[in-house]
Coordinates of all heavy atoms in Angstrom, one line a residue:
M1 N 124.8 113.9 131.3 CA 124.9 112.9 130.2 C 124.7 113.7 128.9 O 123.8 114.5 128.8 CB 123.8 111.9 130.3 CG 123.9 110.7 129.4 SD 122.6 109.5 129.8 CE 123.6 108.2 130.4
T2 N 125.6 113.5 127.9 CA 125.5 114.3 126.7 C 124.5 113.7 125.7 O 124.0 112.5 125.9 CB 126.9 114.2 126.0 OG1 127.1 112.8 125.6 CG2 128.0 114.7 126.9
P3 N 124.0 114.4 124.7 CA 123.0 113.9 123.8 C 123.5 112.6 123.1 O 122.8 111.7 122.8 CB 122.8 115.0 122.8 CG 123.1 116.3 123.6 CD 124.3 115.9 124.5
T4 N 124.8 112.6 122.8 CA 125.4 111.4 122.1 C 125.2 110.2 123.0 O 124.9 109.1 122.6 CB 126.8 111.6 121.7 OG1 126.9 112.8 120.9 CG2 127.4 110.4 121.0
E5 N 125.5 110.3 124.3 CA 125.4 109.2 125.2 C 124.0 108.8 125.4 O 123.7 107.6 125.5 CB 126.0 109.6 126.6 CG 127.5 109.8 126.6 CD 128.0 110.4 127.9 OE1 127.3 110.9 128.7 OE2 129.3 110.3 128.1
I6 N 123.1 109.7 125.4 CA 121.6 109.4 125.5 C 121.2 108.6 124.2 O 120.5 107.6 124.3 CB 120.8 110.6 125.6 CG1 121.1 111.3 127.0 CG2 119.3 110.3 125.5 CD1 120.4 112.6 127.2
A7 N 121.7 109.0 123.0 CA 121.4 108.3 121.8 C 122.0 106.9 121.8 O 121.3 105.9 121.4 CB 121.9 109.1 120.6
V8 N 123.2 106.7 122.3 CA 123.8 105.4 122.4 C 123.0 104.5 123.3 O 122.7 103.3 123.0 CB 125.3 105.5 122.9 CG1 125.8 104.2 123.3 CG2 126.1 106.2 121.8
V9 N 122.6 105.0 124.5 CA 121.8 104.2 125.4 C 120.5 103.8 124.8 O 120.0 102.7 124.9 CB 121.6 105.0 126.8 CG1 120.6 104.3 127.6 CG2 123.0 105.1 127.5
A10 N 119.8 104.8 124.1 CA 118.5 104.5 123.5 C 118.7 103.4 122.4 O 117.8 102.5 122.3 CB 117.9 105.8 122.9
L11 N 119.7 103.5 121.6 CA 119.9 102.5 120.5 C 120.2 101.2 121.1 O 119.7 100.1 120.7 CB 121.0 103.0 119.6 CG 120.7 104.1 118.6 CD1 121.9 104.6 117.9 CD2 119.6 103.7 117.7
A12 N 121.1 101.1 122.2 CA 121.4 99.9 122.8 C 120.1 99.2 123.5 O 119.9 98.0 123.4 CB 122.5 100.0 123.8
A13 N 119.3 100.1 124.1 CA 118.1 99.6 124.7 C 117.1 99.0 123.7 O 116.5 98.0 123.9 CB 117.4 100.7 125.6
G14 N 117.0 99.7 122.6 CA 116.2 99.2 121.5 C 116.7 97.9 120.9 O 116.0 97.0 120.6
G15 N 118.0 97.8 120.8 CA 118.6 96.5 120.3 C 118.3 95.4 121.3 O 118.0 94.3 120.8
V16 N 118.4 95.6 122.6 CA 118.1 94.6 123.5 C 116.6 94.2 123.5 O 116.2 93.1 123.5 CB 118.5 95.0 125.0 CG1 117.9 94.1 126.0 CG2 120.0 95.1 125.1
F17 N 115.8 95.2 123.3 CA 114.3 95.0 123.3 C 114.0 94.1 122.1 O 113.3 93.1 122.2 CB 113.5 96.3 123.2 CG 112.1 96.1 122.9 CD1 111.2 95.7 123.9 CD2 111.6 96.4 121.7 CE1 109.9 95.5 123.7 CE2 110.2 96.2 121.4 CZ 109.4 95.8 122.4
F18 N 114.5 94.5 120.9 CA 114.1 93.7 119.7 C 114.7 92.3 119.7 O 114.2 91.3 119.2 CB 114.4 94.4 118.4 CG 113.4 95.5 118.1 CD1 113.7 96.8 118.3 CD2 112.2 95.1 117.7 CE1 112.7 97.8 118.0 CE2 111.2 96.1 117.4 CZ 111.5 97.4 117.6
T19 N 115.9 92.2 120.3 CA 116.5 90.8 120.5 C 115.6 90.0 121.4 O 115.4 88.8 121.2 CB 117.9 90.9 121.0 OG1 118.7 91.8 120.1 CG2 118.6 89.6 121.1
L20 N 115.1 90.6 122.5 CA 114.2 89.8 123.4 C 112.9 89.5 122.7 O 112.4 88.4 122.9 CB 113.9 90.7 124.6 CG 115.0 90.7 125.6 CD1 114.6 91.7 126.8 CD2 115.4 89.4 126.2
V21 N 112.4 90.3 121.8 CA 111.2 90.0 121.0 C 111.5 88.8 120.1 O 110.7 87.9 120.0 CB 110.8 91.2 120.2 CG1 109.8 90.8 119.1 CG2 110.2 92.3 121.1
A22 N 112.7 88.7 119.5 CA 113.1 87.6 118.7 C 113.1 86.3 119.6 O 112.6 85.2 119.1 CB 114.4 87.8 118.1
V23 N 113.6 86.4 120.8 CA 113.7 85.2 121.6 C 112.3 84.8 122.0 O 112.0 83.6 122.0 CB 114.5 85.6 122.9 CG1 114.4 84.5 124.0 CG2 116.0 85.8 122.5
V24 N 111.4 85.7 122.4 CA 110.0 85.3 122.7 C 109.4 84.7 121.5 O 108.6 83.7 121.6 CB 109.3 86.6 123.2 CG1 107.8 86.3 123.3 CG2 109.8 87.1 124.5
G25 N 109.6 85.2 120.3 CA 109.1 84.7 119.1 C 109.5 83.2 118.8 O 108.8 82.4 118.5
L26 N 110.8 83.0 119.1 CA 111.4 81.6 118.9 C 110.7 80.7 119.9 O 110.5 79.5 119.6 CB 112.9 81.6 119.1 CG 113.7 82.2 117.9 CD1 115.1 82.2 118.3 CD2 113.5 81.3 116.7
L27 N 110.5 81.1 121.1 CA 109.9 80.3 122.2 C 108.4 80.1 122.0 O 107.9 79.0 122.4 CB 110.2 80.8 123.5 CG 111.7 80.8 123.9 CD1 111.9 81.5 125.3 CD2 112.3 79.4 123.9
R28 N 107.7 81.1 121.6 CA 106.2 81.0 121.6 C 105.5 80.6 120.3 O 104.4 80.1 120.3 CB 105.7 82.4 122.0 CG 106.1 82.9 123.4 CD 105.3 82.2 124.5 NE 103.9 82.5 124.3 CZ 102.9 81.9 124.9 NH1 103.2 81.0 125.8 NH2 101.7 82.2 124.6
L29 N 106.2 80.9 119.2 CA 105.5 80.6 117.9 C 105.5 79.1 117.6 O 106.4 78.4 118.0 CB 106.2 81.5 116.8 CG 106.0 83.0 117.0 CD1 106.7 83.7 115.9 CD2 104.5 83.3 116.9
P30 N 104.5 78.7 116.8 CA 104.2 77.3 116.7 C 105.1 76.4 115.8 O 105.2 75.2 116.0 CB 102.7 77.2 116.3 CG 102.5 78.5 115.6 CD 103.4 79.5 116.2
D31 N 105.6 77.0 114.7 CA 106.3 76.2 113.7 C 107.5 76.9 113.2 O 107.8 78.0 113.5 CB 105.3 75.8 112.6 CG 105.0 76.9 111.7 OD1 105.1 78.1 112.1 OD2 104.5 76.7 110.6
L32 N 108.2 76.2 112.3 CA 109.5 76.6 111.8 C 109.3 77.9 111.0 O 110.2 78.8 111.1 CB 110.1 75.5 110.9 CG 111.5 75.9 110.3 CD1 112.3 74.7 110.5 CD2 111.3 76.3 108.9
Y33 N 108.3 78.0 110.3 CA 108.1 79.2 109.4 C 107.9 80.5 110.2 O 108.5 81.5 109.9 CB 107.0 78.9 108.4 CG 107.2 77.7 107.6 CD1 106.5 76.5 107.9 CD2 108.1 77.7 106.5 CE1 106.7 75.4 107.1 CE2 108.3 76.6 105.8 CZ 107.6 75.4 106.1 OH 107.8 74.3 105.3
T34 N 107.1 80.4 111.2 CA 106.8 81.6 112.0 C 108.0 81.9 112.9 O 108.3 83.1 113.1 CB 105.5 81.4 112.8 OG1 105.7 80.3 113.6 CG2 104.3 81.4 111.9
R35 N 108.7 80.9 113.3 CA 109.9 81.2 114.1 C 111.0 81.8 113.3 O 111.7 82.7 113.7 CB 110.4 79.8 114.7 CG 109.5 79.4 115.8 CD 110.0 78.0 116.4 NE 109.1 77.6 117.4 CZ 109.0 76.3 117.8 NH1 109.8 75.4 117.3 NH2 108.1 76.0 118.7
A36 N 111.1 81.3 112.0 CA 112.1 81.9 111.1 C 111.8 83.4 110.9 O 112.7 84.2 110.8 CB 112.2 81.1 109.8
H37 N 110.5 83.7 110.7 CA 110.1 85.1 110.5 C 110.5 85.9 111.7 O 111.0 87.0 111.6 CB 108.6 85.1 110.3 CG 108.0 86.5 110.1 ND1 108.2 87.2 109.0 CD2 107.4 87.3 111.0 CE1 107.6 88.4 109.1 NE2 107.1 88.4 110.4
A38 N 110.2 85.4 112.9 CA 110.5 86.2 114.1 C 112.0 86.4 114.3 O 112.4 87.5 114.6 CB 109.9 85.5 115.4
A39 N 112.7 85.4 114.0 CA 114.2 85.4 114.2 C 114.8 86.4 113.2 O 115.7 87.2 113.5 CB 114.8 84.1 114.1
S40 N 114.3 86.3 111.9 CA 115.0 87.1 110.9 C 114.7 88.6 111.0 O 115.5 89.4 110.9 CB 114.6 86.6 109.5 OG 113.2 86.7 109.3
K41 N 113.4 88.9 111.3 CA 113.0 90.3 111.4 C 113.5 91.0 112.7 O 114.2 92.0 112.6 CB 111.5 90.5 111.3 CG 110.9 89.8 110.1 CD 111.3 90.5 108.8 CE 110.5 89.8 107.7 NZ 111.1 90.0 106.4
S42 N 113.1 90.4 113.8 CA 113.4 91.1 115.1 C 114.9 91.0 115.4 O 115.5 92.0 115.9 CB 112.6 90.4 116.2 OG 111.2 90.5 115.9
D43 N 115.5 89.9 115.1 CA 116.9 89.7 115.5 C 117.8 90.7 114.6 O 118.7 91.3 115.1 CB 117.4 88.3 115.3 CG 118.7 88.0 115.8 OD1 119.0 88.6 116.9 OD2 119.5 87.3 115.2
T44 N 117.4 90.8 113.3 CA 118.2 91.8 112.5 C 118.0 93.2 113.0 O 119.0 94.0 113.1 CB 117.7 91.7 111.0 OG1 117.8 90.3 110.6 CG2 118.4 92.6 110.1
L45 N 116.8 93.6 113.3 CA 116.6 94.9 113.8 C 117.3 95.2 115.1 O 117.9 96.2 115.3 CB 115.1 95.2 114.0 CG 114.7 96.7 114.4 CD1 115.3 97.7 113.4 CD2 113.2 96.8 114.5
G46 N 117.3 94.2 116.0 CA 118.0 94.3 117.3 C 119.5 94.5 117.1 O 120.2 95.3 117.7
A47 N 120.0 93.7 116.2 CA 121.5 93.8 115.9 C 121.8 95.1 115.2 O 122.9 95.7 115.5 CB 121.9 92.6 115.0
V48 N 121.0 95.6 114.4 CA 121.2 96.8 113.7 C 121.2 98.0 114.7 O 122.1 98.9 114.7 CB 120.2 97.1 112.6 CG1 120.2 98.5 112.1 CG2 120.4 96.2 111.4
L49 N 120.3 98.0 115.6 CA 120.3 99.0 116.7 C 121.5 98.9 117.6 O 122.1 100.0 117.9 CB 119.0 98.9 117.5 CG 117.7 99.3 116.7 CD1 116.5 99.1 117.6 CD2 117.7 100.8 116.3
A50 N 121.9 97.7 118.0 CA 123.0 97.6 118.8 C 124.3 98.0 118.1 O 125.2 98.7 118.7 CB 123.1 96.2 119.3
L51 N 124.4 97.6 116.8 CA 125.6 98.1 116.1 C 125.6 99.6 115.8 O 126.6 100.2 115.8 CB 125.7 97.3 114.8 CG 126.1 95.8 114.9 CD1 126.0 95.1 113.6 CD2 127.5 95.7 115.4
G52 N 124.4 100.1 115.7 CA 124.3 101.6 115.5 C 124.8 102.3 116.8 O 125.4 103.3 116.7
A53 N 124.4 101.7 117.9 CA 124.9 102.3 119.2 C 126.5 102.2 119.3 O 127.1 103.2 119.7 CB 124.3 101.6 120.4
A54 N 127.0 101.1 118.8 CA 128.5 101.0 118.8 C 129.1 102.0 117.9 O 130.1 102.6 118.2 CB 128.9 99.5 118.5
A55 N 128.5 102.1 116.7 CA 129.1 103.0 115.7 C 129.0 104.5 116.2 O 130.0 105.3 116.1 CB 128.3 102.9 114.4
L56 N 127.9 104.8 116.9 CA 127.8 106.2 117.4 C 128.8 106.4 118.6 O 129.3 107.5 118.7 CB 126.3 106.4 117.9 CG 125.9 107.8 118.1 CD1 126.0 108.6 116.9 CD2 124.5 107.8 118.6
S57 N 129.0 105.4 119.4 CA 130.0 105.6 120.5 C 131.4 105.7 120.0 O 132.2 106.4 120.6 CB 129.8 104.5 121.5 OG 130.3 103.3 121.0
F58 N 131.7 105.0 118.9 CA 133.1 105.1 118.3 C 133.4 106.4 117.6 O 134.5 106.9 117.5 CB 133.4 103.9 117.4 CG 133.7 102.7 118.1 CD1 133.0 101.5 117.7 CD2 134.7 102.6 119.0 CE1 133.3 100.3 118.4 CE2 135.0 101.4 119.6 CZ 134.2 100.2 119.3
G59 N 132.3 107.0 117.1 CA 132.5 108.3 116.3 C 133.1 108.0 114.9 O 133.1 106.8 114.5
A60 N 133.5 109.0 114.2 CA 134.0 108.8 112.9 C 135.4 108.1 112.9 O 136.2 108.4 113.8 CB 134.2 110.1 112.2
G61 N 135.6 107.2 112.0 CA 136.9 106.5 112.0 C 136.8 105.1 111.4 O 135.7 104.7 110.9
V62 N 137.8 104.4 111.4 CA 137.9 103.0 110.9 C 136.9 102.1 111.5 O 136.2 101.3 110.9 CB 139.3 102.5 110.9 CG1 139.4 101.0 110.4 CG2 140.2 103.4 110.0
P63 N 136.8 102.1 112.9 CA 135.8 101.1 113.5 C 134.4 101.3 113.0 O 133.6 100.4 112.8 CB 135.9 101.4 115.0 CG 137.3 102.0 115.2 CD 137.6 102.8 113.9
T64 N 134.0 102.6 112.8 CA 132.6 102.9 112.3 C 132.5 102.3 110.9 O 131.4 101.8 110.5 CB 132.4 104.4 112.4 OG1 132.5 104.8 113.7 CG2 131.0 104.7 111.9
V65 N 133.5 102.5 110.1 CA 133.4 101.9 108.7 C 133.2 100.4 108.8 O 132.4 99.8 108.0 CB 134.6 102.3 107.9 CG1 134.7 101.6 106.5 CG2 134.7 103.8 107.7
K66 N 134.0 99.8 109.7 CA 133.8 98.3 109.8 C 132.4 97.9 110.3 O 131.9 96.9 109.9 CB 134.9 97.8 110.8 CG 136.3 97.8 110.2 CD 137.3 97.3 111.2 CE 138.7 97.4 110.7 NZ 139.7 97.0 111.7
I67 N 131.9 98.7 111.2 CA 130.5 98.4 111.7 C 129.5 98.6 110.6 O 128.6 97.8 110.4 CB 130.2 99.3 112.9 CG1 131.0 98.9 114.1 CG2 128.7 99.3 113.2 CD1 130.9 99.8 115.3
V68 N 129.7 99.6 109.7 CA 128.7 99.8 108.6 C 128.8 98.7 107.6 O 127.8 98.2 107.1 CB 129.0 101.2 107.9 CG1 128.3 101.3 106.6 CG2 128.7 102.3 108.9
L69 N 130.0 98.2 107.4 CA 130.2 97.0 106.5 C 129.5 95.8 107.1 O 128.9 95.0 106.4 CB 131.7 96.8 106.2 CG 132.4 97.8 105.3 CD1 133.9 97.5 105.2 CD2 131.7 97.9 104.0
L70 N 129.7 95.6 108.4 CA 129.0 94.5 109.1 C 127.5 94.6 109.0 O 126.8 93.6 108.8 CB 129.4 94.5 110.6 CG 128.9 93.4 111.4 CD1 129.3 92.0 110.8 CD2 129.4 93.5 112.8
L71 N 127.0 95.9 109.1 CA 125.5 96.1 108.9 C 125.1 95.7 107.5 O 124.0 95.0 107.4 CB 125.2 97.5 109.2 CG 125.2 98.0 110.7 CD1 125.0 99.5 110.8 CD2 124.0 97.3 111.4
L72 N 125.8 96.1 106.5 CA 125.5 95.7 105.2 C 125.5 94.2 105.0 O 124.6 93.6 104.3 CB 126.4 96.4 104.2 CG 126.3 97.9 104.0 CD1 127.4 98.4 103.1 CD2 124.9 98.2 103.4
F73 N 126.5 93.5 105.6 CA 126.6 92.1 105.5 C 125.4 91.4 106.2 O 124.8 90.5 105.6 CB 127.9 91.6 106.2 CG 128.1 90.1 106.2 CD1 128.4 89.5 105.0 CD2 127.9 89.4 107.3 CE1 128.6 88.1 105.0 CE2 128.0 88.0 107.3 CZ 128.4 87.4 106.2
M74 N 125.0 92.0 107.3 CA 123.8 91.4 108.0 C 122.5 91.6 107.2 O 121.6 90.8 107.2 CB 123.7 92.0 109.4 CG 124.7 91.5 110.3 SD 124.5 92.2 112.0 CE 122.9 91.4 112.4
F75 N 122.4 92.8 106.6 CA 121.2 93.1 105.8 C 121.1 92.1 104.6 O 120.0 91.8 104.1 CB 121.1 94.5 105.3 CG 120.6 95.5 106.3 CD1 121.3 96.6 106.6 CD2 119.4 95.2 106.9 CE1 120.8 97.5 107.5 CE2 118.9 96.1 107.9 CZ 119.6 97.3 108.2
I76 N 122.2 91.7 104.1 CA 122.2 90.7 103.0 C 122.0 89.3 103.4 O 121.2 88.5 102.9 CB 123.5 90.9 102.1 CG1 123.5 92.3 101.5 CG2 123.6 89.8 101.1 CD1 124.8 92.6 100.9
T77 N 122.7 88.9 104.5 CA 122.7 87.5 104.8 C 121.6 87.0 105.7 O 121.1 85.9 105.6 CB 124.0 87.1 105.6 OG1 124.2 87.9 106.7 CG2 125.2 87.3 104.7
N78 N 121.1 87.8 106.6 CA 120.0 87.4 107.5 C 118.7 87.0 106.7 O 118.2 85.9 106.9 CB 119.7 88.4 108.6 CG 120.6 88.3 109.7 OD1 121.5 87.5 109.7 ND2 120.5 89.2 110.7
P79 N 118.2 87.9 105.8 CA 117.0 87.4 105.1 C 117.3 86.3 104.1 O 116.4 85.4 104.0 CB 116.6 88.7 104.3 CG 117.3 89.8 104.9 CD 118.5 89.3 105.6
T80 N 118.5 86.2 103.6 CA 118.8 85.1 102.7 C 118.9 83.8 103.4 O 118.4 82.8 102.9 CB 120.2 85.4 102.0 OG1 120.1 86.7 101.3 CG2 120.5 84.4 101.0
A81 N 119.5 83.8 104.6 CA 119.5 82.6 105.4 C 118.2 82.1 105.8 O 117.8 80.9 105.8 CB 120.4 82.8 106.6
A82 N 117.3 83.1 106.3 CA 116.0 82.7 106.7 C 115.2 82.1 105.5 O 114.5 81.1 105.7 CB 115.2 83.9 107.3
H83 N 115.3 82.7 104.4 CA 114.7 82.2 103.2 C 115.2 80.8 102.8 O 114.4 79.9 102.5 CB 114.9 83.2 102.0 CG 114.2 82.7 100.7 ND1 112.9 82.7 100.5 CD2 114.8 82.1 99.6 CE1 112.6 82.2 99.3 NE2 113.8 81.8 98.8
A84 N 116.5 80.6 102.9 CA 117.1 79.3 102.5 C 116.6 78.2 103.5 O 116.3 77.1 103.1 CB 118.6 79.4 102.5
I85 N 116.5 78.6 104.8 CA 116.1 77.6 105.8 C 114.6 77.2 105.6 O 114.3 76.0 105.6 CB 116.3 78.2 107.2 CG1 117.8 78.2 107.5 CG2 115.6 77.3 108.3 CD1 118.2 79.0 108.8
T86 N 113.8 78.2 105.4 CA 112.4 77.9 105.2 C 112.1 77.2 103.9 O 111.3 76.3 103.8 CB 111.5 79.2 105.3 OG1 112.0 80.1 104.4 CG2 111.5 79.7 106.7
R87 N 112.9 77.5 102.8 CA 112.7 76.9 101.6 C 113.2 75.4 101.7 O 112.5 74.5 101.1 CB 113.6 77.6 100.5 CG 113.6 76.9 99.1 CD 112.2 77.1 98.5 NE 112.1 76.4 97.3 CZ 111.7 77.0 96.2 NH1 111.4 78.3 96.2 NH2 111.7 76.4 95.0
A88 N 114.2 75.1 102.4 CA 114.7 73.7 102.6 C 113.6 73.0 103.4 O 113.3 71.8 103.1 CB 116.0 73.7 103.4
A89 N 113.0 73.6 104.4 CA 111.9 73.0 105.2 C 110.7 72.6 104.3 O 110.2 71.6 104.4 CB 111.5 73.8 106.4
Y90 N 110.4 73.6 103.4 CA 109.3 73.4 102.5 C 109.6 72.2 101.6 O 108.7 71.4 101.3 CB 108.9 74.6 101.8 CG 107.8 74.5 100.9 CD1 106.5 74.5 101.4 CD2 107.9 74.3 99.5 CE1 105.4 74.4 100.5 CE2 106.8 74.2 98.6 CZ 105.6 74.2 99.2 OH 104.5 74.1 98.3
D91 N 110.8 72.2 101.1 CA 111.2 71.1 100.1 C 111.2 69.8 100.8 O 111.0 68.7 100.2 CB 112.6 71.4 99.5 CG 112.5 72.5 98.5 OD1 111.4 72.9 98.1 OD2 113.6 73.1 98.2
Q92 N 111.5 69.7 102.1 CA 111.5 68.5 102.9 C 110.0 68.0 103.3 O 109.9 67.0 103.9 CB 112.3 68.6 104.2 CG 113.8 68.8 103.9 CD 114.4 67.6 103.3 OE1 114.1 66.5 103.7 NE2 115.2 67.8 102.3
G93 N 109.1 68.9 103.0 CA 107.7 68.5 103.2 C 107.1 68.9 104.6 O 106.1 68.4 105.0
I94 N 107.8 69.8 105.3 CA 107.3 70.2 106.6 C 106.2 71.2 106.3 O 106.3 72.2 105.6 CB 108.5 70.9 107.4 CG1 109.6 69.9 107.6 CG2 107.9 71.5 108.6 CD1 110.8 70.5 108.3
E95 N 105.0 70.8 106.9 CA 103.8 71.6 106.6 C 103.8 72.8 107.6 O 104.1 72.7 108.8 CB 102.6 70.7 106.9 CG 102.4 69.6 105.9 CD 102.1 70.1 104.5 OE1 101.4 71.1 104.4 OE2 102.6 69.5 103.5
P96 N 103.3 74.0 107.1 CA 103.1 75.1 108.0 C 102.0 74.8 109.0 O 101.0 74.1 108.7 CB 102.8 76.3 107.1 CG 102.9 75.7 105.7 CD 103.0 74.3 105.7
W97 N 102.1 75.4 110.1 CA 101.0 75.3 111.2 C 99.8 76.1 110.7 O 99.9 77.1 110.1 CB 101.5 75.9 112.5 CG 100.5 75.8 113.6 CD1 100.2 74.8 114.4 CD2 99.7 76.9 114.0 NE1 99.3 75.2 115.3 CE2 98.9 76.5 115.0 CE3 99.5 78.2 113.5 CZ2 98.0 77.3 115.7 CZ3 98.6 79.0 114.2 CH2 97.8 78.5 115.2
T98 N 98.6 75.5 110.9 CA 97.4 76.2 110.7 C 96.5 76.2 111.9 O 96.7 75.3 112.8 CB 96.6 75.6 109.5 OG1 96.3 74.2 109.8 CG2 97.4 75.6 108.2
A99 N 95.5 77.1 112.0 CA 94.7 77.1 113.2 C 93.8 75.9 113.3 O 93.4 75.5 114.4 CB 93.8 78.4 113.1
D100 N 93.6 75.2 112.2 CA 92.8 73.9 112.3 C 93.5 72.8 113.1 O 92.8 72.0 113.7 CB 92.5 73.4 110.9 CG 91.6 74.4 110.1 OD1 90.9 75.2 110.7 OD2 91.7 74.3 108.8
E101 N 94.8 72.8 113.0 CA 95.5 71.8 113.7 C 95.5 71.9 115.2 O 95.7 70.9 115.9 CB 97.0 71.8 113.2 CG 97.2 71.4 111.8 CD 98.6 71.6 111.3 OE1 99.5 71.9 112.2 OE2 98.9 71.4 110.1
E102 N 95.3 73.1 115.7 CA 95.3 73.3 117.2 C 94.2 72.4 117.9 O 94.4 71.9 118.9 CB 95.1 74.7 117.5 CG 95.4 75.0 119.0 CD 95.4 76.5 119.3 OE1 95.7 77.3 118.4 OE2 95.0 76.8 120.4
G103 N 93.0 72.3 117.3 CA 92.0 71.5 117.9 C 92.3 70.1 117.9 O 91.8 69.3 118.7
E104 N 93.1 69.6 117.0 CA 93.4 68.2 116.9 C 94.5 67.8 117.9 O 94.6 66.6 118.2 CB 93.9 67.9 115.5 CG 92.9 68.1 114.4 CD 93.4 67.9 113.0 OE1 94.6 67.6 112.9 OE2 92.6 68.1 112.1
R105 N 95.3 68.7 118.4 CA 96.4 68.4 119.3 C 95.9 68.2 120.7 O 95.0 68.5 121.2 CB 97.4 69.4 119.2 CG 98.2 69.4 117.9 CD 99.2 70.4 117.9 NE 99.9 70.4 116.6 CZ 100.8 71.2 116.2 NH1 101.3 72.1 117.1 NH2 101.3 71.2 115.0

C-alpha cells in the first residue's frame, strides 16, 4: 500500500467517524440547539475529511478543483444553515433544554 493510499484510507475513516459522531449527537442530545451544534460541527468535519480523501485519490486536476470548491461551499453554508435554523427556533419561542427540566420530566 502506498503512502497516498494510506492517507486516503485514514481521511475516509476519519470522515466516517465524525459522521457517526454527528449521528450519535442527533440521536442522544436533548433539544434542537444542541442537535444543531452536533450536526453542524461534526457533520462538516466528516464531510471535509471524506472530500479530502476523494481529492487526494483524484490527484491534481479538474475533479480536485471541483472538490475544493465544494469544500468552500460547505464551509460557508453549513454554519449559516445551522445558525438560521436555531435562530428561527429561538424566534418561534422554543426554549433551550436546561438541567433543571430533567427532574421535572
Side-chain angles (χ1 to χ4, degrees):
M1 193 177 249
T2 66
T4 303
E5 291 172 344
I6 292 171
V8 168
V9 168
L11 287 173
V16 168
F17 172 75
F18 281 106
T19 303
L20 286 175
V21 167
V23 169
V24 170
L26 284 175
L27 295 175
R28 297 282 300 168
L29 293 176
D31 69 344
L32 182 136
Y33 302 104
T34 55
R35 288 177 183 163
H37 177 77
S40 65
K41 306 293 184 203
S42 300
D43 192 40
T44 302
L45 184 58
V48 165
L49 290 174
L51 287 173
L56 196 58
S57 69
F58 282 127
V62 174
T64 302
V65 172
K66 289 179 181 179
I67 290 172
V68 169
L69 291 175
L70 183 59
L71 285 171
L72 289 174
F73 180 75
M74 288 184 64
F75 277 131
I76 293 169
T77 57
N78 278 359
T80 305
H83 177 76
I85 290 169
T86 54
R87 179 67 183 234
Y90 182 77
D91 288 345
Q92 292 295 317
I94 297 173
E95 296 290 325
W97 177 83
T98 60
D100 297 337
E101 295 175 4
E102 188 172 333
E104 296 174 1
R105 290 182 182 177

